[in-house]
Amino acid sequence: MTTTGEERTTALTGPWWWARWRSAVLDGSLALVSALECAAEGIPFARDAGIPVSVGIVFGLLAGSVLLLRRKWPIAVVLVAIAITPAQMGFLMGIVGLYTLAAAELPRRIIAALAGMSLVGTMIVTFVRVRQDMARGDLTLGDWFVPFASITTSLGLTAPPVLLGLYVGARRRLMESLRERADSLERELQLLAERAEERAEWARSEERTRIAREMHDVVAHRVSLMVVHAAALQAVARKDPEKAVKNAVLVGDMGRQALTELREMLGVLRSGDGGQRRAASVAPPAVGVAVAEADSRVGEDEVAVEGPYLSELDVLIGQSAAAGMVVDLSVEGDARSYARAVEQTAYRVVQEALTNVHKHAAGAKTHVRLAHRVSEIAMQVENEPPPEPSSASAARLPSGGNGLLGMRERVMALGGVFVSGPTDAGGFRVSAVIPAT
């Protein structure tokens, strides 16, 4: 992972206004060289001006040392360089100052104005000095040499540092922009990775909840019927051996069906745990892999767990009837096929409602109504009060309190409506309406 912009900023710990110690050493060296240059040039300046040489040297040292401030105040450095141009001092300070000014993030009009002032000042000073030399006879060239020398000298001392500074400043800003974009992209990738991990975790949680709901429906219904048949077997074992044998066969069939469905569920859980371990080993930057694996795993699990269909309701009701429950089934409308999730949810609602009757109202007559409508399917399971108050706990069936909650979650997940509660006659009613699409 690359260093972010914030971390990079905090890592810059140079002295005072310098970002790095290397920059401070460079500026100190340049200021020292500039001070020595100006001090050396201050000697002839002092002689021409008629002032003590020591004053010229001190003035040159102070003026040249201003280059130390080029990163903090580049405008001041350029102004000082322009001011001492008539004394023929500060050539290095002028060149470095113009470069720093052009590379800094300043308005172009300020850069152009100061560069123009430096150009004009250098041109005027060079023009005057060359004419004086020609007047003294030091130069014997023609008059054309004066403007040529002044123009070329001023352009040579001004244009290269300004152009180089503009190029370096533009390149620096481009690199900073690219770095900021890279940091921003990295933060976005980290955010996407976190969201993908959250989405994968949410998908795993939803799949675990779905499988747990399936296991509850399967185990609760099968085991409830097994307990009811076992209680009936205990009651008629001595009185009616033939009926006891029939109940024993039913208990065995129920147990085998429950084991088969449990094996399917456990197989899905094992494959789901393996997928979770694979997903946990994926690095966070692999954003698309985490999402794709979570989605594909959910899709595979849904295919692996084939739920029941509404056409199997007769078998379900027959099992409850074999356990001693009086069940009345009525179907309205023309039966047709629905989406697998719709049929599975409708079947599980009826199954769980019958299981609750076995648990809490054993022996009560139950009415199961199924209505096929144009755009929805409705079901209702209503039981009458049990014949004896003590019969509700005769088989001693435990209740975890998750049946109604699971039914509601199933129906609500498909955009349906679920209502349950006691009836005025003392029974219990479970109603659900599920959209057909």
Side-chain angles (χ1 to χ4, degrees):
M1 185 185 303
T2 59
T3 307
T4 60
E6 291 78 1
E7 294 175 348
R8 188 181 296 108
T9 301
T10 57
L12 306 181
T13 55
W16 295 331
W17 58 82
W18 286 283
R20 299 176 181 86
W21 278 99
R22 181 178 61 185
S23 302
V25 172
L26 176 62
D27 289 354
S29 302
L30 290 175
L32 178 61
V33 175
S34 176
L36 294 177
E37 177 204 355
C38 292
E41 294 168 347
I43 296 175
F45 168 72
R47 292 173 179 173
D48 295 341
I51 59 176
V53 176
S54 59
V55 175
I57 295 175
V58 172
F59 175 75
L61 290 174
L62 293 177
S65 301
V66 176
L67 191 58
L68 189 67
L69 308 176
R70 72 182 187 94
R71 297 181 190 267
K72 186 69 172 178
W73 296 294
I75 298 178
V77 174
V78 174
L79 290 176
V80 172
I82 295 173
I84 63 177
T85 299
Q88 290 186 322
M89 300 170 61
F91 293 102
L92 176 63
M93 182 169 61
I95 294 174
V96 176
L98 287 175
Y99 163 79
T100 306
L101 178 70
E105 296 182 0
L106 294 173
R108 293 297 177 87
R109 61 179 182 275
I110 296 178
I111 298 175
L114 292 177
M117 292 172 59
S118 177
L119 176 67
V120 173
T122 305
M123 185 182 300
I124 294 174
V125 171
T126 305
F127 185 87
V128 172
R129 290 296 180 179
V130 172
R131 283 187 64 87
Q132 290 177 353
D133 293 340
M134 293 184 67
R136 288 196 299 265
D138 297 338
L139 294 175
T140 58
L141 299 175
D143 295 336
W144 61 270
F145 183 73
V146 176
F148 173 77
S150 60
I151 294 175
T152 54
T153 303
S154 59
L155 287 177
L157 295 176
T158 305
V162 171
L163 295 178
L164 181 61
L166 291 175
Y167 167 74
V168 172
R171 185 175 180 275
R172 182 186 303 157
R173 286 187 290 272
L174 175 62
M175 296 300 296
E176 291 178 355
S177 175
L178 293 177
R179 189 181 297 114
E180 291 177 357
R181 290 180 61 183
D183 294 337
S184 177
L185 181 60
E186 181 180 352
R187 286 192 293 268
E188 291 179 1
L189 287 177
Q190 291 177 355
L191 181 60
L192 288 176
E194 293 174 359
R195 290 181 178 177
E197 195 66 24
E198 292 176 357
R199 181 179 176 184
E201 182 62 29
W202 173 83
R204 290 193 292 266
S205 177
E206 288 293 318
E207 186 62 16
R208 286 194 296 267
T209 303
R210 187 181 71 84
I211 295 175
R213 196 160 49 226
E214 289 286 335
M215 293 184 66
H216 173 270
D217 293 342
V218 171
V219 174
H221 182 72
R222 302 294 183 190
V223 175
S224 297
L225 291 179
M226 290 172 63
V227 173
V228 171
H229 282 294
L233 178 61
Q234 183 181 4
V236 301
R238 296 181 180 179
K239 300 179 182 179
D240 193 348
E242 184 177 353
K243 187 174 183 181
V245 172
K246 184 184 297 186
N247 287 339
V249 173
L250 290 175
V251 170
D253 292 339
M254 296 290 178
R256 281 187 289 272
Q257 293 176 4
L259 285 176
T260 301
E261 295 181 352
L262 278 176
R263 288 192 188 99
E264 294 178 358
M265 297 293 178
L266 292 176
V268 172
L269 284 176
R270 290 192 186 97
S271 63
D273 291 340
Q276 291 176 21
R277 287 193 293 270
R278 291 193 303 271
S281 64
V282 177
V287 180
V289 176
V291 179
E293 183 175 354
D295 293 343
S296 62
R297 183 168 61 254
V298 172
E300 292 172 0
D301 291 346
E302 289 181 353
V303 173
V305 184
E306 288 291 340
Y309 294 90
L310 286 176
S311 58
E312 303 175 15
L313 272 183
D314 293 335
V315 178
L316 177 66
I317 293 175
Q319 293 173 352
S320 296
M325 178 187 296
V326 180
V327 186
D328 179 23
L329 173 63
S330 62
V331 180
E332 300 178 6
D334 297 332
R336 64 181 186 275
S337 60
Y338 299 91
R340 188 183 66 83
V342 174
E343 294 207 12
Q344 180 181 354
T345 301
Y347 181 93
R348 294 302 188 191
V349 168
V350 176
Q351 182 187 54
E352 182 61 28
L354 293 177
T355 301
N356 288 339
V357 175
H358 284 293
K359 288 182 179 180
H360 307 290
K365 185 176 181 180
T366 306
H367 304 276
V368 179
R369 299 180 180 87
L370 188 66
H372 299 277
R373 298 171 184 171
V374 177
S375 59
E376 63 188 15
I377 179 173
M379 65 226 64
Q380 178 178 293
V381 180
E382 180 180 350
N383 64 275
E384 299 178 358
E388 298 179 3
S390 60
S391 62
S393 59
R396 298 180 182 179
L397 293 173
S399 176
N402 297 320
L404 294 176
L405 178 61
M407 286 189 285
R408 181 182 300 277
E409 290 177 352
R410 286 178 177 275
V411 175
M412 298 294 289
L414 297 179
V417 179
F418 179 84
V419 179
S420 63
T423 61
D424 296 336
F428 198 85
R429 180 187 299 116
V430 173
S431 302
V433 179
I434 304 174
T437 57

